[in-house]
Amino acid sequence: MPAVQHTDDDPKPSIDVIVIGEALVDIVVSPRGTVEHPGGSPANVAYGLGRLGADTALLTSIGDDHRAAAIEKHLRSAGVQLLHGSRGRGRTATATAVLASDGSAQYDFDIRWDLPRTAPATLPKILHTGSIATFLAPGAAVVKELLEQSHERCVVTYDPNIRPALLGSHFEAKTLFEELVPFTEVVKLSDEDARWLYPRLSLDDIANRVLELGAGLVAVTMGGEGSLLTTAGTRVAVPSVQSAVVDTIGAGDSYMSALIYGLLLRGADGLAPSVLESLGRMASKAAAITVRRAGAQPPTSEELQAELPEHQPVAP
């Protein structure tokens, strides 16, 4: 990769999290009509982290159209910095989500994913990536190089957020996933992601497989059934939080944002069982708040604090 470019857009040295991945516009079609929301799983994670108060930056690829301007405004509203190289020419990617009566969504994507071969000047405490950005050429190769460069110097988290319609063969996608895992510390999978990648294995066996590949923590979300957080020595089951569902857009990304934020706050206890339970409960409550409202609208730290018991603060 070329030498690092130092620009005015580089993050400040104290940056908490850099997210690498796609930003796009969700076009949501429902019985109530059609609306547009800034989205894309990595951008949602960055936005969620900003809302929680983490110093966050996003490295992405957006165009120069009105949708790109809407994405930038959206990210700025949460204090998220857009890194040098993220702006380009042409149209911004979209994902059309058609909502069913239960609030679940089916997606159709219009996306091209490329990324400049430019590394951030400053490494964060946590580097997060995932979704389309880690599978779709040519940008996926750049993401992999950035993880290879960074994983020994900061914590790397990964959410593959599988979109089968945008992937090649199952073998190719699984290979790409398994090539990235050794450069990560934390991997989050939905149960749908996990079963798509490993259809013949149980969720426990899938978590163990990902640990064997090199991850230190695997979080598997199961919607209303809660989530499982597994390390080499510990397995913690966390119940879901009951919530009236408007739609599920961004729920998994809110879970990921809160999980990352919890990792920033975990202190010297590492991944002890009590830490895993705290991480899981915080992330589950963030997801529950998000599904109560339309689009990917994660909680603020104040909203999340109001949902947490007194013995589990959201900040130190």
Side-chain angles (χ1 to χ4, degrees), residues 15-315:
I15 198 77
D16 291 324
V17 185
I18 290 178
V19 179
I20 303 172
E22 73 273 6
L24 47 78
V25 168
D26 285 319
I27 304 171
V28 183
V29 181
S30 74
R32 298 186 299 273
T34 300
V35 295
E36 296 191 1
H37 305 283
S41 176
N44 289 344
V45 172
Y47 180 76
L49 281 159
R51 296 261 291 175
L52 289 172
D55 290 324
T56 307
L58 176 67
L59 179 62
T60 189
S61 178
I62 58 176
D64 57 0
D65 54 6
H66 71 283
R67 285 172 170 151
I71 289 171
E72 289 193 64
K73 181 179 179 181
H74 176 69
L75 293 169
R76 283 199 303 269
S77 73
V80 177
Q81 181 182 354
L82 199 63
L83 292 187
H84 175 74
S86 294
R87 304 170 184 87
R89 298 179 64 85
R91 70 178 186 272
T92 297
T94 61
T96 300
V98 180
L99 297 184
S101 58
D102 64 356
S104 62
Q106 296 293 322
Y107 289 89
D108 181 37
F109 292 90
D110 177 11
I111 182 170
R112 294 185 301 273
W113 173 244
D114 200 358
L115 203 60
R117 305 180 74 85
T118 303
T122 303
L123 281 177
K125 298 172 185 174
I126 297 178
L127 179 68
H128 174 73
T129 192
S131 196
I132 299 165
T134 60
F135 294 100
L136 191 62
V142 181
V143 174
K144 183 179 179 183
E145 288 184 28
L146 288 170
L147 265 59
E148 287 177 324
Q149 284 189 334
S150 306
H151 76 282
E152 293 183 344
R153 296 180 289 158
C154 66
V155 173
V156 175
T157 62
Y158 177 33
D159 176 5
N161 195 32
I162 298 291
R163 301 297 188 189
L166 290 174
L167 304 182
S169 70
H170 178 272
F171 175 79
E172 291 170 330
K174 179 181 170 185
T175 298
L176 288 171
F177 170 77
E178 292 191 339
E179 287 177 348
L180 283 187
V181 171
F183 306 121
T184 69
E185 179 172 331
V186 178
V187 176
K188 177 254 180 190
L189 296 160
S190 71
D191 54 349
E192 292 180 349
D193 294 339
R195 292 188 172 108
W196 189 90
L197 286 164
Y198 301 100
R200 298 181 180 179
L201 299 181
S202 69
L203 293 180
D204 282 333
D205 287 342
I206 292 168
N208 289 332
R209 169 63 180 162
V210 178
L211 291 173
E212 290 169 359
L213 289 169
L217 167 63
V218 180
V220 179
T221 61
M222 303 175 294
E225 299 301 314
S227 57
L228 298 172
L229 285 80
T230 307
T231 66
T234 305
R235 178 186 181 277
V236 173
V238 178
S240 65
V241 177
Q242 296 302 310
S243 185
V245 177
V246 174
D247 68 50
T248 61
I249 295 173
D253 301 326
S254 291
Y255 185 103
M256 188 76 241
S257 296
L259 180 63
I260 293 170
Y261 193 61
L263 290 169
L264 289 170
L265 305 179
R266 62 181 162 168
D269 290 331
L271 295 174
S274 60
V275 174
L276 297 184
E277 183 172 356
S278 178
L279 290 173
R281 291 187 181 278
M282 182 185 296
S284 293
K285 291 185 179 184
I289 293 169
T290 302
V291 303
R292 296 174 192 166
R293 43 207 188 192
Q297 293 296 324
T300 63
S301 59
E302 292 79 11
E303 289 173 325
L304 187 56
Q305 182 67 70
E307 297 275 335
L308 293 171
E310 292 182 4
H311 68 275
Q312 188 185 336
V314 74

